[in-house]
Amino acid sequence: MYTLHAVPDWASVIVRLVLEEMDLPHEIVLKDAEAGDLDLPAYRRVNPAGLIPALETPDGPIFETAAILLWLTDRHGALAPPPQSAERAGYLSWLFFTSNSVHNSVMALVHPERQAGDSGHAEASQIARDTLIHRFGLIEAMLQTGAPPWLSTREPGALGYYLGTLARWAKLFAANPADAVTLDAFPALRDVLAAHEARPAALRVARAEGLGPSPFTDPRA
């Protein structure tokens, strides 16, 4: 049994989608960030950074989204290439590109004030938008040359759920709505994410978290 510490529609939803897709027994412990739950000593023992997500496992707690996904997919042998696979190098490259580059660009789009303060809010938002479009474009180009099995319409993958959630936030939660990024210019990526959001596991999580029927390709508040 896993315990996922979560806030609805935060990064914990990425882990929840993977747990649900793998049909792994788990419980969700909701946190109230505004009430200070993430700063409580008990939670800091699970995630010293006081961030979401954190997953309690039989081997101890693990935090950071990409680390959790990598640990789960390796442990259970699903939703990603195994360590000995020839596909592993490419998968790891794009997983960490998503974690280190795409995720950070989305956060800069949602919270441009963290980069530039209130005075540079508009410029920082536009830079984040342009950067994210470029990074989504790199993924689109990779898919256009031949979608790998770990990011395709044919089968679900942990990376697909990660990118789907980021695409949701990029459209729905941009601080400046004019800078919101949609999937219109990325048809191959959109097709992959549409296949993921239609999975029974994704539909169950979407209902549980109130994300709507098309949380990745047509997100609604």
Side-chain angles (χ1 to χ4, degrees):
M1 169 71 77
Y2 294 114
T3 299
L4 177 62
H5 296 268
V7 175
D9 214 359
W10 283 28
S12 50
V13 73
I14 302 164
V15 179
R16 187 174 188 177
L17 285 160
V18 168
L19 289 168
E20 193 72 29
E21 183 66 57
M22 290 184 178
D23 197 24
L24 297 174
H26 62 279
E27 62 175 347
I28 306 296
V29 177
L30 292 176
K31 299 296 184 183
D32 187 337
E34 293 185 0
D37 286 359
L38 305 185
D39 294 322
L40 295 175
Y43 185 66
R44 289 301 181 109
R45 286 192 289 271
V46 177
N47 186 343
L51 299 173
I52 291 292
L55 185 71
E56 294 191 66
T57 82
D59 294 346
I62 182 170
F63 57 95
E64 290 294 322
T65 303
I68 296 171
L69 297 183
L70 189 56
W71 189 90
L72 284 171
T73 55
D74 282 1
R75 174 60 62 97
H76 297 283
L79 304 187
Q84 67 276 15
S85 170
E87 297 280 353
R88 182 73 163 190
Y91 172 74
L92 289 179
S93 296
W94 289 104
L95 173 64
F96 283 95
F97 175 75
T98 297
S99 176
N100 296 335
S101 299
V102 180
H103 196 153
N104 285 340
S105 295
V106 172
M107 288 297 96
L109 187 70
V110 175
H111 297 289
E113 75 284 354
R114 294 178 182 175
Q115 303 291 321
D118 292 337
S119 61
H121 185 287
E123 183 179 1
S125 178
Q126 292 169 2
I127 292 171
R129 179 182 186 275
D130 292 345
T131 302
L132 181 59
I133 288 172
H134 172 69
R135 289 171 175 172
F136 273 165
L138 294 176
I139 296 171
E140 177 72 15
M142 179 268 289
L143 292 173
Q144 291 282 3
T145 60
W150 39 265
L151 190 63
S152 75
T153 60
R154 300 184 298 277
E155 55 187 88
L159 185 54
Y161 282 130
Y162 198 165
L163 286 167
T165 303
L166 296 179
R168 168 182 174 79
W169 298 342
K171 179 180 179 182
L172 199 58
F173 298 133
N176 181 358
D179 291 328
V181 176
T182 73
L183 293 171
D184 294 346
F186 314 108
L189 178 58
R190 190 186 190 284
D191 287 348
V192 169
L193 302 186
H196 278 71
E197 72 186 2
R199 297 279 305 171
L203 294 172
R204 290 193 296 271
V205 173
R207 285 193 296 270
E209 298 216 6
L211 307 182
S214 303
F216 303 155
T217 62
D218 187 22
R220 306 295 173 91

